[in-house]
Amino acid sequence: MIRKNRIINIPENENNFLFGVRGSGKTDLLKQLFPPSPSTLYIDLLDTSIYKDYLSNTGQFYERVNAFRNDGLVIVDEIQKIPQLLDEVHRLIESSNRRFILTGSSARKIKATQGVNLLGGRAGRKFLHPFTPEELGEDFDLNEALQYGLLPIVWSSTNRSNKLKAYTETYLTEEIKAEALVRNLPAFARFLEVAGLYHGQIVNMTAVARDTQVSRHFVCNFFSILEDTMLGFFLRPYHPKLRVKEQKSNKFYLIDPGIARALKKNFGSVSVEEKGFLFEGLIAQLLKAYKDYRGLYDEIYYWSSTEAKEMEVDFLLKRGKELIAIEVKAKTDVSSRDYRGLKAIGELPNVKRQIIVYMGKFIRKTEQGIEIWPFDFFCKNLKEDFKSLVVP
């Protein structure tokens, strides 16, 4: 796997969960940050023999860690495979100065075992996302990112299409079937293909249930699995008091453009029809990553009117009481028609900036104060905490 300087911060002197979708590079990152040494103990639950020993007797885990140095760092890979080990980790944290980093590609079983406050609040939660343009530097290519995505396990492959195919198959067999997250695997396989079609769209659960041929209850559970395994996420609608009626349903994004295409079995060149959703999804993922990595904003929303399709805004970043409105357009030029939603939501007093991110090359500002940013300028602003100003 390609080794890059990831921008996530994982302090050595703190206890942390490190969550991330499979293939996001959690293990590779930790071995880069904390190389194996006499003061660092690695326990890999993907190792079948280790897994079987601790599954049958969690006390063996306690004994092994307790015999390790009192002030050492203990890293446990894929903790969700034996969530009962969290009780032992909790006990060891209470009785020693050891620090723990616990990785996981699913929070579902952990939440079921431990509840919302993991380890009683004694460990923070970090999330590792696919690569960002900042991390890839000159290796980043927007067209490649839209076609294959930015998962490290795929990006570093010499045959990205084949890797994506294998990835989705591995997800079904290993992450879902092996973890027994669903009983009806064929129905879930149908759902995944439908979920790929809803990437970047407002979700109607009843319609998804009809397309998947299962009940609405099952569909809600399936979406919950995608969230818990970090494969997808929802954006809630923002409800300002405007004159029009606001949309109330959540908007869904898969974690990566490559995964969105792979679930639909699209592996060739990106078509014109799918480019808009893929580009918007990439922006959504970058916004989510920088929220988790650097806390650039408190929350991400979207806004959409039910009365006029033009009256919509893809993203609203909430920072305290202030809002930054962002519209995404997968085109090389934009016109006044493209920022009707931004002008509409600009009536709110708390909207401080209105921005269009597009695929063109020029930075400019309209008479209404709407800033028009090329994608690379948007990435620069993510890196610099939106401090770049556009001069009219």
Side-chain angles (χ1 to χ4, degrees), residues 97-373:
N97 294 320
R98 298 179 188 89
R99 285 93 59 216
F100 287 83
I101 298 177
L102 312 172
T103 79
S105 54
S106 172
R108 196 167 185 83
K109 287 189 174 181
I110 295 175
K111 289 196 301 184
T113 304
Q114 292 286 316
V116 178
N117 290 320
L118 304 181
L119 294 179
R122 288 169 176 79
R125 278 183 279 183
K126 303 283 186 177
F127 295 89
L128 187 62
H129 296 265
F131 281 138
T132 67
E134 179 182 348
E135 291 169 334
L136 288 173
E138 294 181 356
D139 293 334
F140 176 79
D141 181 275
L142 180 56
N143 291 325
E144 292 280 298
L146 295 181
Q147 183 171 355
Y148 301 111
L150 292 169
L151 270 181
I153 196 173
V154 174
W155 190 264
S156 60
S157 174
T158 55
N159 191 324
R160 292 172 179 168
S161 291
N162 284 347
K163 198 67 176 181
L164 270 174
K165 291 177 185 178
Y167 183 90
T168 51
E169 291 170 0
T170 298
Y171 173 67
L172 275 174
T173 56
E174 292 186 11
E175 197 70 55
I176 302 303
K177 186 177 180 179
E179 298 295 331
L181 296 178
V182 294
R183 295 180 179 178
N184 190 341
L185 197 60
F188 188 74
R190 292 195 302 271
F191 162 77
L192 284 179
E193 190 166 345
V194 174
L197 297 173
Y198 273 87
H199 176 62
Q201 299 193 49
I202 295 168
V203 173
N204 182 322
M205 293 290 184
T206 302
V208 178
R210 182 175 60 249
D211 293 340
T212 309
Q213 302 171 35
V214 295
S215 70
R216 192 177 187 278
H217 169 78
F218 276 107
V219 165
C220 292
N221 184 53
F222 288 167
F223 271 115
S224 177
I225 289 172
L226 293 187
E227 288 186 285
D228 287 341
T229 55
M230 277 68 75
L231 264 179
F233 60 95
F234 283 101
L235 288 189
R236 293 182 291 121
Y238 184 78
H239 292 308
K241 295 181 180 179
L242 294 180
R243 292 189 297 271
V244 296
K245 185 179 180 180
E246 292 89 10
Q247 190 64 255
K248 293 183 179 180
S249 298
N250 292 339
K251 201 171 186 180
F252 176 73
Y253 293 96
L254 287 154
I255 197 72
D256 181 74
I259 294 176
R261 303 191 75 232
L263 292 182
K264 296 182 293 182
K265 298 179 173 56
N266 290 345
F267 300 99
S269 300
V270 175
S271 67
V272 174
E273 293 77 17
E274 63 180 335
K275 181 175 285 188
F277 292 114
L278 294 174
F279 188 48
E280 180 184 329
L282 176 61
I283 299 294
Q285 172 52 26
L286 292 176
L287 290 172
K288 191 173 187 336
Y290 278 82
K291 175 182 180 294
D292 288 340
Y293 290 162
R294 294 180 176 162
L296 266 70
Y297 18 85
D298 306 321
E299 191 55 77
I300 310 172
Y301 300 94
Y302 82 93
W303 175 78
S304 176
S305 164
T306 57
E307 296 181 357
K309 190 177 186 306
E310 294 85 359
M311 301 279 282
E312 61 181 19
V313 174
D314 291 325
F315 307 108
L316 280 176
L317 313 182
K318 186 174 182 296
R319 308 174 74 170
K321 294 183 178 180
E322 296 184 354
L323 296 169
I324 299 175
I326 298 177
E327 181 70 17
V328 179
K329 298 296 178 183
K331 49 174 47 174
T332 56
D333 194 16
V334 293
S335 65
S336 59
R337 182 179 181 83
D338 295 314
Y339 40 83
R340 290 183 180 179
L342 289 176
K343 288 195 291 187
I345 207 166
E347 299 174 14
L348 289 176
N350 291 334
V351 175
K352 299 303 179 183
R353 300 183 79 168
Q354 299 145 277
I355 299 163
I356 286 186
V357 180
Y358 78 127
M359 291 182 165
K361 298 180 179 180
F362 302 104
I363 307 167
R364 66 183 190 273
K365 191 174 184 179
T366 70
E367 294 180 356
Q368 296 86 3
I370 295 171
E371 302 171 51
I372 301 176
W373 292 2

Side-chain angles (χ1 to χ4, degrees), residues 74-111:
V74 181
I75 297 175
V76 184
D77 250 342
E78 301 299 337
I79 188 67
Q80 83 281 348
K81 293 185 71 64
I82 312 179
Q84 295 84 356
L85 292 182
L86 290 172
D87 292 333
E88 306 297 346
V89 171
H90 196 162
R91 187 154 62 114
L92 287 158
I93 289 175
E94 295 266 302
S95 62
S96 73
N97 294 320
R98 298 179 188 89
R99 285 93 59 216
F100 287 83
I101 298 177
L102 312 172
T103 79
S105 54
S106 172
R108 196 167 185 83
K109 287 189 174 181
I110 295 175
K111 289 196 301 184

Side-chain angles (χ1 to χ4, degrees), residues 27 31 41-52 54 61 64 75-79 81-82 103:
T27 302
K31 288 185 176 179
L41 173 64
Y42 276 86
I43 297 176
D44 183 5
L45 295 182
L46 291 177
D47 185 310
T48 304
S49 61
I50 294 175
Y51 169 74
K52 288 181 177 179
Y54 295 159
F61 171 85
R64 181 181 178 187
I75 297 175
V76 184
D77 250 342
E78 301 299 337
I79 188 67
K81 293 185 71 64
I82 312 179
T103 79

Side-chain angles (χ1 to χ4, degrees), residues 3 10 18 25-37 40-44 73 75 77 101 103:
R3 287 185 177 269
I10 305 176
L18 176 60
K26 299 182 296 295
T27 302
D28 192 64
L29 170 67
L30 291 177
K31 288 185 176 179
Q32 186 176 350
L33 294 176
F34 313 111
S37 70
T40 303
L41 173 64
Y42 276 86
I43 297 176
D44 183 5
L73 173 64
I75 297 175
D77 250 342
I101 298 177
T103 79

